[in-house]
Amino acid sequence: MALLPLAVVTGGAGFIGSHTVDKLIATGHRVVVLDNFSTGKRANLAQHAGSDRLSIVECDVSHGIFAGLAAITAKLGPVERIVHLAAQVSVVSSMANPGCDMQINYGGTLHVLEYARAMGVKKVVFASSAAVYGDVVKMPVAEDIPLQPMSPYGINKLASELALDCYASQYGVPTTALRFFNVYGPRQDPTSPYSGVISIFADRARSGRTLTIFGDGKQTRDFVYVGDVVRAIAAALGDGNSRLIANVGTGQAITVKELASTILDLCGGSSTIEHAPARSGEILDSRARVDRLRDQLGVVAETKLVDGLRATLA
Ligand code: UD2
């Protein structure tokens, strides 16, 4: 019997990574997770305990992946596809420590691409971000507008996209970059002050604590459910679409104020809402144009916010 295709998921023990692993295993892959467990958790992959479809290697991608993958590929055979999600995920941390962000986020991408080049990997899918756009006035945001990232985080995501394109055009490594908007869903860790707002609000609402809105709450975001994001990743991981860059969002946006009251309605608890000063350097509005996602990858983010919030709160 032919072996199932072998995919590597860097950051596979994290929030988006672990859902990606679930999806790839469910669609007939063997998966190797590379994770340094700085923020990822083994518990996120506990549902695959004992499965011969999943291997986990503790490895810091920003130090290279050849050594981490050598033993496992000697046993399982060559890596066919890579989803590169391992990253330093905080825009604010990147402002405080740009060099660190560059080493992890841009450096990590180069290590993945070098492996893909050397080993003839058939596809690399990279988690880019809406942070490459900067403060855009006209919504929705299309992929081909001039890019003005406002943080080292956005710069290193953009630099990674350029590296992907270079490896595709110069070395023949097929690559796709997905620009994630505000991803949310189960397993998103609410414990950092820079965690996703939905994870923080859900955590606080469930325990009756106050929700803090930064600024007047009129800022808008395009919240996309993690289940839809992994469908985009799985579509991008297939053959074709090399050098494609595509937004991953819903094309809809909601204000943070509306978000807070929707979560409170769903929880029915006793939490109140307070306001604190707006975060400095923050963008006002964000909403994805999703034509490429639909036309090139055949994916429409269809989870309604209220359904995604229910799943997150459950
Ligand atoms: C998101 C991404 C970030 C980057 C950026 C690009 C997340 C978690 N972060 O940053 O990685 O891609 O987009 O533009 O997806 N807020 C509150 N109260 C809270 C927490 C947040 O009012 O307790 C507000 C916050 O000020 C912002 C909005 O909620 O206006 C969303 O904040 P976020 O941290 O979830 O995500 P964002 O858009 O800053």
Side-chain angles (χ1 to χ4, degrees):
M1 204 177 79
L3 282 175
L4 297 172
L6 186 64
V8 164
V9 180
T10 74
F15 161 50
I16 302 173
S18 63
H19 287 279
T20 302
V21 172
D22 294 347
K23 176 77 175 176
L24 293 181
I25 288 181
T27 54
H29 293 78
R30 294 171 298 151
V31 176
V32 178
V33 163
L34 298 182
D35 205 297
N36 68 356
F37 296 99
S38 60
T39 54
K41 298 189 192 81
R42 287 184 192 274
N44 286 340
L45 298 168
Q47 62 280 21
H48 302 293
S51 166
D52 58 5
R53 295 269 191 100
L54 176 65
S55 309
I56 301 174
V57 178
E58 188 162 344
C59 167
D60 190 328
V61 174
S62 67
H63 295 155
I65 65 173
F66 284 89
L69 285 171
I72 200 85
T73 52
K75 201 168 95 186
L76 300 180
V79 173
E80 282 186 34
R81 288 160 210 274
I82 301 179
V83 183
H84 178 40
L85 302 170
Q88 183 298 108
V89 299
S90 165
V91 176
V92 181
S93 298
S94 83
M95 302 292 285
N97 201 339
C100 187
D101 190 84
M102 184 174 72
Q103 190 206 337
I104 298 173
N105 287 358
Y106 182 53
T109 302
L110 288 184
H111 284 300
V112 166
L113 288 171
E114 272 300 283
Y115 186 88
R117 174 166 85 100
M119 298 301 182
V121 170
K122 290 182 189 157
K123 190 64 176 282
V124 176
V125 174
F126 168 63
S128 189
S129 164
V132 299
Y133 293 115
D135 211 353
V136 181
V137 177
K138 196 165 165 284
M139 296 294 136
V141 188
E143 289 88 348
D144 55 4
I145 65 163
L147 303 173
Q148 285 189 302
M150 301 192 319
S151 63
Y153 177 86
I155 291 169
N156 291 316
K157 288 291 184 185
L158 177 54
S160 293
E161 287 186 2
L162 294 171
L164 254 74
D165 198 65
C166 171
Y167 272 67
S169 65
Q170 304 304 312
Y171 301 127
V173 178
T175 63
T176 299
L178 300 176
R179 291 180 181 159
F180 296 163
F181 279 64
N182 288 66
V183 187
Y184 73 100
R187 301 183 204 151
Q188 192 170 26
D189 183 0
T191 53
S192 147
Y194 306 115
S195 299
V197 63
I198 289 182
S199 69
I200 295 175
F201 282 0
D203 185 49
R204 292 185 154 260
R206 268 188 305 228
S207 53
R209 284 174 293 156
T210 302
L211 311 192
T212 305
I213 293 178
F214 298 127
D216 60 10
K218 289 184 185 155
Q219 66 269 44
T220 59
R221 292 292 183 275
D222 183 336
F223 293 102
V224 57
Y225 186 64
V226 68
D228 292 323
V229 173
V230 300
R231 285 195 299 117
I233 291 171
L237 202 57
D239 293 331
N241 291 308
S242 185
R243 305 181 71 185
L244 175 71
I245 294 174
N247 287 338
V248 178
T250 64
Q252 309 288 323
I254 177 177
T255 66
V256 169
K257 205 172 170 175
E258 286 169 303
L259 174 72
S261 52
T262 307
I263 290 176
L264 290 184
D265 286 348
L266 288 171
C267 281
S270 55
S271 291
T272 53
I273 292 176
E274 66 173 17
H275 286 261
R279 281 180 179 167
S280 64
E282 182 164 295
I283 60 172
L284 187 57
D285 294 312
S286 178
R287 177 161 68 89
R289 181 158 175 177
V290 291
D291 303 45
R292 273 196 201 170
L293 177 65
R294 183 192 61 220
D295 298 342
Q296 303 294 314
L297 294 172
V299 173
V300 175
E302 60 207 8
T303 308
K304 291 201 178 72
L305 183 65
V306 64
D307 295 330
L309 288 175
R310 280 205 185 93
T312 306
L313 288 160

